[in-house]
Amino acid sequence: MKKSLALLFSLLTFGLFAQIEDPVDWSFEVRNAKDGEADLVFIADIEPGWHLYSQDIPEDGPIPTSFIFTEGQKGLEFIGRVTEGEPHEEYDPNFEMTLKYYEEHAEFVQHIKVTDGTLKKVTGELEFMVCNDVMCLPPEYVDFAFDLPEIEPAKMDAGSPSGGKDKMINQSVWTIFLEGMGWGFAALLMPCIFPMIPLTVSFFTKQSKTKSEGIRKAIIYALSINVIYVALGMLITIVFGSDALNAMATNPWFNLFFFALFIVFAISFFGAFEITLPSKWVNKADEASNKGGLIGIFFMAFTLSLVSFSCTGPLIGTLLVRAASQGEYFGPTMGMLGFSLALSLPFMLFAAFPGWLQSLPKSGGWLNTVKVTLGFLELAFALKFLSTADLVWQAHWLERELFLAIWVAIAFLTALYLLGVFRMPHDSPVDRISVSRMLFGLVFVILGFYLLPGIWGAPVKLVAGFPPPEFYAESPGGFGGGGHTAGFTAGAETETGHKTGEHCPLGLPCFNDFEEGLAYAKEVNKPIMLDFTGWGCVNCRKMEENVWSDPRVKQRLAEDVVLISLYVDEQTKLPESEQRVSEDTGKKIKTIGNKWSEFQAVNFKANSQPYYVILGHENLEPLHESAAYDPDIEKFIDWMDRGVGLFEK
């Protein structure tokens, strides 16, 4: 998924002055080297006004900071993932999401264990990107090397713990915790759980000599639920480990498995079958619950967990998959903690305030309605995992239009179900629907109509981050923007054999390779307009949608110049023979984006986007000043006309 994520980061720029920016200095230290363990510390000193992004960035955001250690370093064991300090966190209107970043100084720490005294150096590569208030720079790769001091190798005791250092809990883990609580509250409304609340609370209050004893037993019961589910989360973490959890976030096969799993969960909620545990487990737990005392109460909670699995199983599975796929070491544990707290809270509260039981709605067919509605949501979530696998492979199975079309269908089907147009297998006959059911149905109707224009290119920002990005579509840029202008076909060849660009804004004729575009410009005797852009460059899209879409500008771009759009964040790997270290910038040139980023920096002393230059055919000297982001249409027309006029002279 890393490749697809890199295509989505935003390169913001309002810069009007061409200059090379290098706002981050990296240094590397080894700390706390003793007893066979050490901390590898990555230190970033950041110039004022610039932001270095955290490792934890939403999927559609900028490139996160990441660390790749050289494989095959013998005698080296990594303990946990790379941890980091407390980042700033705030909403970024340009990316339309909350982002975590560092200012002025940042430290990242990888805890290691050394098992071979011959290990003297730890090497690898880190990737990062930085932004300020007006621009973002393309991602950079930096080699790192830690010279290890004399460290006595750790003894490999079979029972020794895998890590002796407390790991910092990333804030995203708390997001998983809150999500777990959400699923826990949803579980309370399931047919297998909701009727058990008054029965269980009444049992404790009636079997206790005093009110305080009943409350105490209910609290023990609730804490037992917490222990059971948290233990499940810890088991997932121990069995898979942090490395496997991180792999789940990027491995397409894991994502395909999760997709299939969510489909099974959804079908189960629809009533086709029930996911149950072996009856022997339930019977043994029920027998143990009759022993009385703390053990009996614990097994009462365990029996509830087993009996209710047909309802809670898909919700627990959804939560664990979501937590694991985010690659967080503590994710499954924190998710289960949130789930169990929400599930156990009513038992404690109603035991303390038994009068509240009278206010609970009566059990009935509405419980199955909740279950089926959750099934539709499971179906919608399943598509996200299929989309992730598709983006990693660039297979184009599930492009944006199809994804949104399926979501529209799910939204309308959910609305029709809630409005009573059809019933599912376990639904009771309904003569009339409640006000709340009608309102929820209305919500899904509105959602369906909101998503519908997205099939033809509307941004549908309300669900940003779930559908594939706008460029990953059958008609990039929306219906009618498919790359045909004046006989110029995207990705084809001109009459003289020059390959045209596959990624051309607004369907304009363009090239994505400088040499191809230059050769064509010489043949047709037109000036070149270089467009340094990026897949996720917000201001690039604003220029294209607000300025280039003007008929006068679009005509000039199509007829008066040869447009060459160079994507500086294109992550397609260069052939091995073309990968190198730049003699001019000292940076690694591994991708097509790296190539065009270096081309811009070396020849035009700039590395911000959008950046526009009009050239002749003889050299790379601009015919007049460059242009950048400016929504003034008249100004852009004047800039183009002056450049074309100078070329004709």
Side-chain angles (χ1 to χ4, degrees):
M1 189 166 67
K2 184 177 180 181
K3 178 179 178 181
S4 63
L5 292 180
L7 296 177
L8 301 176
F9 82 91
S10 292
L11 299 167
L12 310 178
T13 167
F14 291 90
L16 299 179
F17 302 99
Q19 56 179 331
I20 299 298
E21 301 285 357
D22 188 17
V24 181
D25 288 327
W26 287 94
S27 57
F28 314 102
E29 294 181 5
V30 178
R31 298 177 185 168
N32 304 322
K34 61 179 180 180
D35 300 329
E37 298 184 7
D39 289 329
L40 307 182
V41 185
F42 303 81
I43 304 169
D45 290 312
I46 310 161
E47 291 183 3
W50 290 89
H51 296 165
L52 173 70
Y53 290 98
S54 165
Q55 299 174 91
D56 178 35
I57 293 294
E59 182 174 332
D60 294 333
I63 293 293
T65 302
S66 60
F67 306 86
I68 303 173
F69 290 85
T70 304
E71 296 182 0
Q73 299 182 81
K74 295 182 179 180
L76 177 63
E77 180 180 331
F78 297 102
I79 301 177
R81 57 173 293 181
V82 176
T83 60
E84 59 185 68
E86 189 72 19
H88 299 284
E89 184 172 5
E90 64 180 29
Y91 181 80
D92 189 319
N94 294 299
F95 291 98
E96 298 180 341
M97 62 180 65
T98 298
L99 296 176
K100 299 175 183 178
Y101 63 87
Y102 296 92
E103 294 178 329
E104 297 186 358
H105 185 82
E107 292 191 4
F108 302 83
V109 180
Q110 173 65 63
H111 194 62
I112 63 168
K113 178 184 290 185
V114 178
T115 59
D116 187 342
T118 62
L119 181 67
K120 300 299 182 184
K121 182 173 291 190
V122 178
T123 61
E125 177 184 79
L126 66 88
E127 181 184 16
F128 71 99
M129 73 171 289
V130 289
C131 298
N132 61 18
D133 291 338
V134 296
M135 71 174 71
C136 286
L137 304 183
E140 291 189 32
Y141 303 92
V142 174
D143 289 323
F144 61 78
F146 293 91
D147 293 317
L148 298 179
E150 292 294 330
I151 303 177
E152 185 69 23
K155 296 180 180 180
M156 300 301 292
D157 295 333
S160 63
S162 62
K165 182 180 177 67
D166 292 336
K167 298 174 179 64
M168 187 180 301
I169 299 179
N170 196 289
Q171 288 186 6
S172 65
V173 174
W174 292 106
T175 302
I176 298 172
F177 171 81
L178 294 175
E179 184 175 331
M181 290 197 72
W183 287 116
F185 285 126
L188 286 172
L189 301 178
M190 303 296 281
C192 304
I193 297 290
F194 188 81
M196 297 297 295
I197 297 175
L199 292 175
T200 305
V201 173
S202 297
F203 173 81
F204 286 131
T205 54
K206 291 179 180 179
Q207 295 295 321
S208 302
K209 297 179 180 180
T210 63
K211 180 179 178 181
S212 60
E213 182 184 352
I215 295 175
R216 178 174 58 84
K217 288 181 177 179
I219 291 175
I220 295 173
Y221 181 81
L223 291 177
S224 298
I225 292 175
N226 295 336
V227 169
I228 292 167
Y229 283 104
V230 169
L232 176 61
M234 292 179 66
L235 180 64
I236 295 294
T237 300
I238 292 171
V239 170
F240 289 99
S242 59
D243 291 338
L245 295 180
N246 285 322
M248 290 181 184
T250 57
N251 189 294
W253 292 107
F254 271 123
N255 279 278
L256 283 179
F257 171 74
F258 294 155
F259 165 71
L261 193 62
F262 272 51
I263 294 295
V264 171
F265 289 161
I267 295 174
S268 171
F269 274 170
F270 290 151
F273 55 84
E274 286 192 350
I275 301 174
T276 59
L277 296 174
S279 58
K280 291 182 180 180
W281 297 6
V282 179
N283 293 334
K284 288 184 178 180
D286 189 44
E287 291 175 5
S289 67
N290 295 322
K291 293 182 178 180
L294 296 179
I295 298 297
I297 294 175
F298 174 83
F299 277 101
M300 281 184 64
F302 193 55
T303 302
L304 173 73
S305 302
L306 297 178
V307 171
S308 64
F309 188 79
S310 61
C311 290
T312 61
L315 298 181
I316 295 170
T318 300
L319 176 61
L320 289 175
V321 167
R322 290 269 298 154
S325 66
Q326 293 187 33
E328 292 291 348
Y329 188 81
F330 291 101
T333 301
M334 293 298 288
M336 287 293 96
L337 178 60
F339 183 90
S340 61
L341 282 176
L343 196 63
S344 62
L345 190 60
F347 293 98
M348 292 187 287
L349 291 178
F350 286 116
F353 306 98
W356 290 2
L357 288 172
Q358 304 301 320
S359 62
L360 281 178
K362 295 181 180 179
S363 301
W366 67 273
L367 292 173
N368 196 68
T369 302
V370 173
K371 187 176 179 180
V372 172
T373 302
L374 287 173
F376 283 114
L377 294 179
E378 294 269 354
L379 203 59
F381 281 134
L383 286 184
K384 178 59 181 172
F385 292 100
L386 179 60
S387 175
T388 297
D390 182 39
L391 284 166
V392 171
W393 282 325
Q394 293 286 292
H396 292 270
W397 301 329
L398 190 63
E399 294 175 314
R400 185 178 177 87
E401 294 93 339
L402 180 57
F403 185 103
L404 288 172
I406 297 174
W407 265 28
V408 168
I410 292 173
F412 284 135
L413 273 175
T414 309
L416 292 173
Y417 170 74
L418 290 172
L419 295 175
V421 175
F422 65 92
R423 289 188 295 147
M424 299 300 277
H426 298 300
D427 283 330
S428 304
V430 178
D431 297 328
R432 59 182 181 272
I433 63 173
S434 64
V435 173
S436 58
R437 182 166 173 171
M438 182 272 292
L439 291 175
F440 277 112
L442 182 61
V443 169
F444 282 98
V445 170
I446 294 171
L447 179 62
F449 279 115
Y450 172 78
L451 295 174
L452 190 59
I455 300 173
W456 292 277
V460 291
K461 295 179 182 179
L462 190 63
V463 295
F466 282 95
E470 291 184 16
F471 66 82
Y472 196 78
E474 294 179 21
S475 298
F479 181 75
H484 296 275
T485 302
F488 203 94
T489 304
E493 290 187 353
T494 65
E495 294 179 355
T496 52
H498 299 294
K499 182 174 173 53
T500 61
E502 295 183 357
H503 313 300
C504 298
L506 305 179
L508 288 161
C510 87
F511 293 86
N512 296 138
D513 181 87
F514 177 73
E515 296 299 332
E516 293 280 359
L518 173 61
Y520 182 77
K522 290 179 178 179
E523 291 179 1
V524 298
N525 194 32
K526 293 181 180 179
I528 293 169
M529 179 177 151
L530 279 183
D531 164 33
F532 289 100
T533 184
W535 280 115
C537 171
V538 173
N539 286 332
C540 300
R541 302 295 88 78
K542 288 180 179 178
M543 283 294 292
E544 294 160 7
E545 294 170 7
N546 299 327
V547 178
W548 289 20
S549 60
D550 182 272
R552 296 168 295 165
V553 176
K554 195 169 184 179
Q555 181 180 6
R556 285 169 169 79
L557 290 169
E559 299 177 2
D560 296 346
V561 298
V562 173
L563 178 63
I564 304 179
S565 293
L566 304 178
Y567 288 77
V568 301
D569 58 342
E570 173 61 60
Q571 293 296 295
T572 302
K573 294 288 185 182
L574 289 167
E576 290 287 343
S577 59
E578 296 183 26
Q579 295 185 20
R580 56 190 171 81
V581 175
S582 172
E583 296 180 359
D584 298 286
T585 65
K587 298 177 181 178
K588 290 186 176 182
I589 309 301
K590 302 171 67 174
T591 65
I592 290 176
N594 296 153
K595 175 182 176 180
W596 300 131
S597 180
E598 182 206 31
F599 180 72
Q600 180 187 7
V602 171
N603 294 291
F604 304 103
K605 303 299 184 286
N607 58 353
S608 60
Q609 293 78 43
Y611 187 81
Y612 309 119
V613 182
I614 294 183
L615 304 173
H617 303 156
E618 302 304 320
N619 53 53
L620 295 174
E621 188 68 28
L623 295 176
H624 63 344
E625 79 278 5
S626 62
Y629 175 80
D630 190 331
D632 189 330
I633 295 175
E634 299 299 332
K635 187 175 180 180
F636 192 81
I637 290 175
D638 175 70
W639 177 81
M640 286 196 69
D641 288 345
R642 286 190 291 111
V644 173
L646 290 170
F647 173 81
E648 292 175 349
K649 289 181 180 179

